[in-house]
């Protein structure tokens, strides 16, 4: 599916008519290098390879471009005009934007003000292993109707001051796969192919008390009888005016049901029903699909030890264009790094594309684009426990045929047979009383892993410990129940009892 068109910006009509005659940074032809290209980037800085030629995919925007300028180039918009305190004019950009040029508008990609971005930069913990991205150097360009967006992107990538330019992403079908049947057996002990959240709930903090968990996507039914926490003040952490590109209210409902459904004797019970529940929209009426800003908005609302769940997937590059984790998109990757550097645990769906992230020709080495590990937890979809309610041909903890896989996929959970709120295949008592036993895909797997992270973070906090994102990920991977079968790595299934036992030794 494609995103709805964003409404016209009332302030942008005159912007680029005035924009780049003053786009001051050193005059140069469109493909010429700067006279003095930046040379003082830290040694640890990773530079993304720029494509020689842009190829648009099905889920690439034909209207918007995301562009990042090289570190320390100090590009800013002042009075609606981009300027740099470091370099001279950008004549090549002027040719794109002046007069009848193909670029109609330019604005910062991340909408937080400079003070907020500066505060986030200072919020990186001392033990953060990634260099803090400079989000102020990300911009969003709007291409005039009828113009060749591929040519504009190629011209931008030819400029040495541009670190990377690419088409903005469009919203994609949510990571949900065909229906099967089950009940909430995923909460059972490891011997029964569960994560043993029942045991975790007997330990102080193991129900998520004291931890915020936030879901980024769309399609929530906040009036569901079993999701009262979504109606509390402050539950919505809004990224602009929420919009749902698929006009559905089931997917997010099922995700939140796995996590925080009320412990009220009816319906289902969330694995971490004691956690504080929040949600942030990935799409809004102002800018369309806006995932990078959604992550930044959520990171600002969370603190170290809280959990962010990314229930989205991205399209890979040409030739490998099935679904992959969203950190494949460079702006999203940078926003995730800012969140993990702050100490927020970021859990993201691996995607339902059956893509091998170890394919270096498509994804670089390592995924994504040969960049350092973002610190997030990537989740694959594995086989559930087969019961009378659900019989799956995939063995327990074996890779589901649709699951994306590879060394960067850290842990797995049930990719079929998950019971939760929404949809109505299990019980339909009206629009606000629907339940399913068929929620599937990396969509159903990711909330199970997120719940394990919430439970462990809650227990750790009760003991005066705040685990870093990498400590949390290592704990899940080293104590989990091993993957079975072949077909590519999706990692172990979390085992909370074993992880809690190991947590006792951590300080």
């Amino acid at each position: 599916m494609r995103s709805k068109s964003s409404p016209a910006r009332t302030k942008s009509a005159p912007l680029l008519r005035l924009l780049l005659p003053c786009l001051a940074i050193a005059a140069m032809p469109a493909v010429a290098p700067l006279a003095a290209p930046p040379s003082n980037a830290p040694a640890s800085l990773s530079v993304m390879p720029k494509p020689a030629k842009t190829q648009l995919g099905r889920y690439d925007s034909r209207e918007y471009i995301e562009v990042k300028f090289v570190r320390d180039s100090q590009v800013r918009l002042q009075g609606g005009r981009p300027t740099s305190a470091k370099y001279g004019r950008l004549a090549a950009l002027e040719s794109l934007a002046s007069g009848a040029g193909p670029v109609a508008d330019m604005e910062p990609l991340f909408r937080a003000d400079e003070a907020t971005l500066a505060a986030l930069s200072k919020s990186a913990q001392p033990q953060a292993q990634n260099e803090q991205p400079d989000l102020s150097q990300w911009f969003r360009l709007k291409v005039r109707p009828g113009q060749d967006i591929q040519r504009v992107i190629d011209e931008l990538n030819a400029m040495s001051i541009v670190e990377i330019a690419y088409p903005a992403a469009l919203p994609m079908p949510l990571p949900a796969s065909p229906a099967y049947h089950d009940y909430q057996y995923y909460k059972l002990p490891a011997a029964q192919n569960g994560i043993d959240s029942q045991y975790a709930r007997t330990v102080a903090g193991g129900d998520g008390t004291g931890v915020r968990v936030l879901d980024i996507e769309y399609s929530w039914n906040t009036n569901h009888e079993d999701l009262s926490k979504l109606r509390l003040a402050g539950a919505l952490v809004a990224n602009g005016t929420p919009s749902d590109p698929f006009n559905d209210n089931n997917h997010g409902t099922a995700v939140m049901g796995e996590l925080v459904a009320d412990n009220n004797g009816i319906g289902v019970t969330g694995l971490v029903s004691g956690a504080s529940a929040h949600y942030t929209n990935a799409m809004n009426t102002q800018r369309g699909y806006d995932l990078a800003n959604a992550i930044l908005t959520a990171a600002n609302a969370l603190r170290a030890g809280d959990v962010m769940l990314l229930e989205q997937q991205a399209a890979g590059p040409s030739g490998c264009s099935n679904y992959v984790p969203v950190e494949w998109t460079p702006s999203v990757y940078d926003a995730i790094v800012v969140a993990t550097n702050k100490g927020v645990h970021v859990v993201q769906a691996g995607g339902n594309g059956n893509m091998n992230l170890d394919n270096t020709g498509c994804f670089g080495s390592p995924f994504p684009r040969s960049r350092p590990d973002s610190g997030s937890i990537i989740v694959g979809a594995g086989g559930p426990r087969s019961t009378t309610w659900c019989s799956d041909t995939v063995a327990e903890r074996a890779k589901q045929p649709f699951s994306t896989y590879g060394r960067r996929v850290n842990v797995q959970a049930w990719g079929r047979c998950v019971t939760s709120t929404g949809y109505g295949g299990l019980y339909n008592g009206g629009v606000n009383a629907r339940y399913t036993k068929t929620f599937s895909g990396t969509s159903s797997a990711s909330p199970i892993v997120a719940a394990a992270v919430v439970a462990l973070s809650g227990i750790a906090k009760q003991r005066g410990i705040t685990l870093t994102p990498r400590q949390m990920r290592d704990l899940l991977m080293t104590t989990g129940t091993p993957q079975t079968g072949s077909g590519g790595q999706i990692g172990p299934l979390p085992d909370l009892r074993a992880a809690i036992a190991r947590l006792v030794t951590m300080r």
Side-chain angles (χ1 to χ4, degrees):
M1 295 186 180
R2 300 193 180 278
S3 64
K4 299 176 183 176
S5 298
S6 298
R9 307 184 205 282
T10 57
K11 295 181 180 179
S12 65
L15 175 61
L16 282 216
R17 288 197 292 270
L18 300 174
L19 184 65
L20 292 173
C22 298
L23 239 189
I25 301 185
M28 62 180 183
V31 296
L34 291 173
S39 60
N40 59 344
S44 60
L45 179 64
S46 63
V47 178
M48 291 174 281
K50 294 191 282 190
K53 186 171 179 57
T54 301
Q55 294 183 348
L56 295 180
R58 178 181 176 187
Y59 296 104
D60 289 334
S61 175
R62 270 62 175 172
E63 185 178 12
Y64 292 103
I65 298 170
E66 293 187 357
V67 59
K68 184 182 184 182
F69 293 102
V70 296
R71 194 174 189 88
D72 296 329
S73 55
Q74 301 176 39
V75 176
R76 295 288 188 273
L77 288 177
Q78 295 182 358
R81 299 175 178 179
T83 61
S84 170
K86 188 164 187 178
Y87 301 110
R89 294 179 56 204
L90 280 180
L93 277 177
E94 292 183 23
S95 68
L96 292 178
S98 60
V103 175
D105 189 18
M106 180 177 181
E107 65 175 355
L109 190 151
F110 291 99
R111 292 179 293 139
D113 57 34
E114 289 195 18
T116 300
L117 291 177
L120 271 172
S121 181
K122 294 177 181 178
S123 73
Q125 298 182 328
Q127 65 268 36
Q129 297 180 19
N130 282 336
E131 182 179 24
Q132 188 78 343
D134 184 357
L135 302 187
S136 70
Q137 292 307 288
W138 280 101
F139 289 84
R140 179 177 167 104
L141 278 59
K142 182 178 182 180
V143 176
R144 298 182 193 279
Q147 294 292 330
D148 184 353
I149 191 172
Q150 295 179 96
R151 181 182 68 81
V152 176
I153 294 170
D154 291 343
E155 290 192 27
L156 288 166
N157 278 322
M159 301 176 191
S160 59
I161 199 168
V162 171
E163 180 174 322
I164 194 167
Y166 55 88
L170 297 174
M172 312 221 334
L174 292 162
S177 51
Y180 285 78
H181 304 283
D182 199 20
Y183 283 151
Q184 283 185 281
Y185 298 134
Y186 49 89
K187 63 186 177 183
L188 296 176
Q192 296 171 280
N193 202 39
I195 66 169
D196 213 351
S197 63
Q198 290 177 316
Y199 171 74
R201 294 174 70 91
T202 69
V203 182
D207 67 347
T209 297
V211 179
R212 299 180 180 96
V213 60
L214 184 147
D215 177 35
I216 295 182
E217 53 169 307
Y218 13 70
S219 304
W220 304 278
N221 178 8
T222 59
N223 292 316
H224 194 285
E225 64 179 3
D226 230 2
L227 295 175
S228 65
K229 287 191 173 186
L230 301 190
R231 298 187 287 278
L232 297 178
L236 172 62
V237 180
N239 171 39
T241 304
S243 176
D244 183 351
F246 304 114
N247 296 312
D248 179 47
N249 69 354
N250 285 303
H251 191 277
T253 301
V255 167
M256 295 306 280
E258 288 183 65
L259 289 165
V260 295
D262 298 336
N263 187 8
N264 56 9
I266 64 170
V268 295
T269 299
L271 298 178
V272 283
S273 57
S276 175
H278 302 274
Y279 58 104
T280 296
N281 49 296
M283 186 163 178
N284 55 53
T285 59
Q286 291 83 9
R287 290 160 57 98
Y289 191 52
D290 198 23
L291 181 57
N293 268 298
I295 294 168
L296 180 63
T297 298
N300 274 322
L302 300 176
R303 61 195 172 199
D306 290 338
V307 181
M308 181 191 303
L309 173 59
L310 302 181
E311 279 282 347
Q312 301 283 278
Q313 56 188 2
S318 177
C320 304
S321 57
N322 281 345
Y323 305 136
V324 299
V326 291
E327 68 175 44
W328 172 251
T329 302
S331 61
V332 172
Y333 169 93
D334 273 8
I336 289 172
V337 169
V338 167
T340 58
N341 280 357
K342 188 178 180 181
V344 175
H345 303 293
V346 178
V347 178
Q348 56 178 314
N352 294 347
N354 191 30
M355 297 304 301
N356 180 7
L357 302 184
D358 296 333
N359 183 337
T360 59
C362 290
F363 303 112
S365 179
F367 176 91
R369 303 173 190 265
S370 306
R371 306 196 76 185
D373 185 339
S374 68
S376 69
I377 299 170
I378 297 181
V379 181
R385 176 190 178 204
S386 290
T387 70
T388 56
W389 293 101
C390 174
S391 179
D392 190 11
T393 58
V394 176
E396 294 180 359
R397 301 185 308 285
K399 175 189 169 301
Q400 291 285 359
F402 54 79
S403 180
T404 287
Y405 60 96
R407 289 188 299 272
R408 185 61 185 88
V409 180
N410 307 116
V411 287
Q412 63 161 297
W414 289 23
R416 297 195 191 276
C417 305
V418 170
T419 299
S420 189
T421 45
Y423 292 103
L426 175 61
Y427 176 77
N428 189 347
V431 65
N432 297 323
R434 291 175 178 165
Y435 298 87
T436 180
K437 55 184 178 181
T438 65
F439 194 38
S440 307
T442 53
S443 285
S444 63
S446 298
I448 295 174
V449 171
V453 175
V454 171
L456 288 171
S457 187
I459 293 168
K461 283 179 176 289
Q462 289 287 325
R463 299 175 180 182
I465 305 169
T466 300
L467 296 175
T468 69
R470 284 173 171 80
Q471 285 178 319
M472 179 66 75
R473 188 174 65 189
D474 290 346
L475 182 60
L476 291 176
M477 294 176 67
T478 57
T479 61
T481 310
Q483 177 183 347
T484 63
S486 58
Q489 175 178 314
I490 57 170
L493 175 72
D495 178 355
L496 281 171
R497 188 183 294 257
I500 292 167
R502 179 75 58 84
L503 185 62
V504 172
T505 66
M506 299 177 66
R507 288 292 183 268

